[in-house]
Every structure is written in structure tokens, then in C-alpha cells.
Amino acid sequence: MKKIVAGALLGVLMASSAMAGNIGVSMANSDTFLTVLRKGIEKAAGDASQPVQIEIADDDVQKQLSQIQNFIASKVDAIIVNAVDTSATAPMTKLAIDAGIPIVYVNRQPADVDALGAKGAFVASDEVESGTLQTKEICRILGGKGDILVMVGDLANQAAVQRTKDIHDVIATPECSGMKILDEQTAAWDPVKAQDLMTNWMAAGHKPAAVIANNDNMAIGAINAMKSAGWDMKDVVVGGIDATQEALAYMKAGDLDVTVFQDAFGQGAGAVDAAVKLAKGEKVDAKVWIPFQLVTPENMDQFVTKN
């Protein structure tokens, strides 16, 4: 079992008045964005002298469930979960609540988000904003018309479903109704799968005005495929979401046109804050939103080093 422990937070730190006891954290994986989120958790915990134990589930639902069970058995005072599968969170929620342990979901909205109760919370950014900001900007660049290809994230993840719905909702508006989806397929958040998907689309004869991806990793994969095929990136608008440092480098090079800053670090800090408060019996909003921000070549410099 992969394990990352904020070692400096153990031992003598138990004496700190800011602490809520031990907090167990289960992360879905260690991709670019979630690594930043994890660092946000570690930094916030360190600043608060709060012991945390972080486990990586390697995108395995059963492994994540086992991690939750182990946290409960070790009598942690709160649990933070970045869900592998947002449709499979109910059993984890029940285990924690039945044990009287607060549970905080972060970044990925659990299917049972409205049933978490007084000892549960969800900390993230409102996904309705992400795909909406992204697609409205691409619509503006295209002048409201053009053929588009849509790269969808992991369909087991609520964010992928919502961001894709956002795209459809925006192009259904009068000012963007000239945009037409040529095809829409999942690349599971992965740049390699996205590169393969884009290569297949090009082989099928698709020549889009824009590629809209549910995250930056897939946008980068699409860009790599187009550049390998000799396409001029000035002819295709490409949009992602997350504003990762790698994505901003592609934007600086003129290859990525649009992304949306999702504050991974802030979400991690917000999750720690909520877990500490719930462990102490304090009230926390059921949903804690960290705002999204549109990123373009004109304002990208202010987001460098943030994610």
C-alpha cells in the first residue's frame, strides 16, 4: 500500500492546541493536480501542527474502502477522502458516520453529498463554473461557430460528467449555437490516452476548429498529437481545466488557448480546516466552494507557481 506520511507532523505536535487528533487522508491517485492538492493538505496541516496520515488508493475503489476501514480501526479523529469513484462513496460515508468519525470529501463530489449530515462536508470548486468558463471563452474566440471535439474525463467522476454538461449547455445558448460537436469520447484524464484519441480522430478525417478537454492533461495530449502530425496550433483552439504548471508552459508557447484555474492547494487547505473543525464538534458548511478563475494568455502570469 502506497503511503505518504507528513512525518514532521507527528510526535511532539500532539501537544498543540490547534490539533484535532490524527486525521486520515485517502487520495485517489498522484496525478499532477492531485499532487498539488495533497501538498495543500500537508502544508495546511503543518501550519496548524496537525498530524495527518496520507494514503494513495491508486484508483482502486476497494483499496480506498480498505484505507477508510483502517483509519477507523486506528481511531483517527477525522477522515479526508478524494474519491476514486464518486458513485461509490456511500459505503465509506456510512462506515465513518457509524463510527462517529467526521468525513470530509475533497475535490471530487460524492454521490451522497446531500446525505453527509452534520459530521460530513464537501470541499471543492463548483464544477458548473469550470466547463462554463472554459466553453464560453472558446465560443468567444471562435465567434460563436465552428466544429469541436470534446475530450471527457473518467466517467466514474462527477466532475467529468458536469464539465461535459457545461459544454453542451453553453453551445445550446444563442450566441454559441453555431458550434457543433463532431465527436465526444473519454480519455480518462490521461495525456497518453488523449494523444491516442486525437490521433484516431485525425485519422478519421476530423479537422476541428477547437478541442475542448475536461482537464489540462488531456488538452496537452491532444496538442502533442496535433503537433506530431504537423498541424499549426494557430489553426485550432484548445482548452483545458486546472491551470497546471505544465499547461501554463504550453500556453506560454502558444499551444494552449484556454484553461481554468482550480485552486488545488486551496482545496487541500480547506479540507484540513473543515476536518479539524468537525473533529472539534464545530459547525462547517455542508459544501465549501473554492472559486474557479478563467486563465488566458493575457492573465496567465498571475497563475504561475499556484498549481
Side-chain angles (χ1 to χ4, degrees):
M1 180 183 293
K2 278 189 186 174
K3 184 181 297 184
I4 301 169
V5 179
L9 304 176
L10 302 176
V12 296
L13 297 178
M14 291 296 293
S16 171
S17 60
M19 292 180 353
N22 291 313
I23 294 177
V25 182
S26 176
M27 300 291 299
N29 60 52
S30 295
D31 71 11
T32 304
F33 179 83
L34 293 184
T35 295
V36 178
L37 193 153
R38 190 194 78 224
K39 289 180 179 178
I41 290 174
E42 292 172 340
K43 176 66 163 57
D47 289 346
S49 298
Q50 173 60 58
V52 293
Q53 177 179 326
I54 302 178
E55 305 277 357
I56 309 300
D58 297 314
D59 288 326
D60 184 327
V61 174
Q62 290 304 313
K63 185 173 184 178
Q64 186 160 65
L65 181 61
S66 177
Q67 288 168 354
I68 304 306
Q69 290 170 328
N70 290 339
F71 288 148
I72 292 170
S74 63
K75 302 186 185 302
V76 297
D77 292 87
I79 297 171
I80 295 173
V81 180
N82 169 248
V84 169
D85 184 344
T86 56
S87 67
T89 53
M92 292 184 284
T93 301
K94 187 176 188 306
L95 284 169
I97 299 304
D98 286 353
I101 298 174
I103 186 164
V104 176
Y105 288 96
V106 62
N107 181 251
R108 299 179 175 185
Q109 181 170 308
D112 58 333
V113 66
D114 294 323
L116 297 180
K119 286 200 170 186
F122 172 53
V123 178
S125 299
D126 188 349
E127 294 297 351
V128 174
E129 294 179 4
S130 60
T132 300
L133 287 169
Q134 174 197 44
T135 311
K136 280 186 174 180
E137 177 63 10
I138 291 173
C139 171
R140 186 194 67 77
I141 295 170
L142 293 178
K145 59 184 179 181
D147 293 337
I148 62 175
L149 292 167
V150 178
M151 288 191 169
V152 183
D154 185 348
L155 290 170
N157 192 306
Q158 183 271 345
V161 175
Q162 183 61 57
R163 291 176 186 181
T164 305
K165 181 180 183 299
D166 296 341
I167 296 169
H168 285 267
D169 288 346
V170 170
I171 68 173
T173 61
E175 59 269 32
C176 302
S177 59
M179 296 170 67
K180 176 186 174 184
I181 296 177
L182 295 174
D183 199 6
E184 175 183 304
Q185 292 189 42
T186 181
W189 308 121
D190 186 84
V192 176
K193 292 179 180 177
Q195 185 166 347
D196 290 343
L197 175 57
M198 190 70 218
T199 299
N200 292 338
W201 275 336
M202 291 188 294
H206 289 313
K207 186 83 175 180
V211 177
I212 307 179
N214 282 172
N215 79 339
D216 286 339
N217 279 351
M218 293 188 295
I220 288 168
I223 290 168
N224 290 341
M226 288 185 279
K227 292 182 75 172
S228 294
W231 286 23
D232 188 338
M233 294 311 301
K234 293 179 181 178
D235 297 333
V236 186
V237 177
V238 181
I241 292 173
D242 288 337
T244 64
Q245 293 306 298
E246 184 179 15
L248 293 179
Y250 273 73
M251 182 172 282
K252 187 173 183 179
D255 299 327
L256 181 69
D257 302 279
V258 178
T259 187
V260 180
F261 176 64
Q262 181 178 192
D263 191 352
F265 210 81
Q267 289 182 16
V272 172
D273 180 67
V276 168
K277 288 178 178 176
L278 288 172
K280 292 180 177 180
E282 299 175 16
K283 286 188 176 182
V284 172
D285 289 341
K287 296 178 182 178
V288 179
W289 297 124
I290 311 295
F292 280 106
Q293 293 175 267
L294 180 67
V295 183
T296 65
E298 290 70 33
N299 71 348
M300 62 165 287
D301 287 345
Q302 66 182 282
F303 297 96
V304 173
T305 75
K306 285 191 175 182
N307 267 355

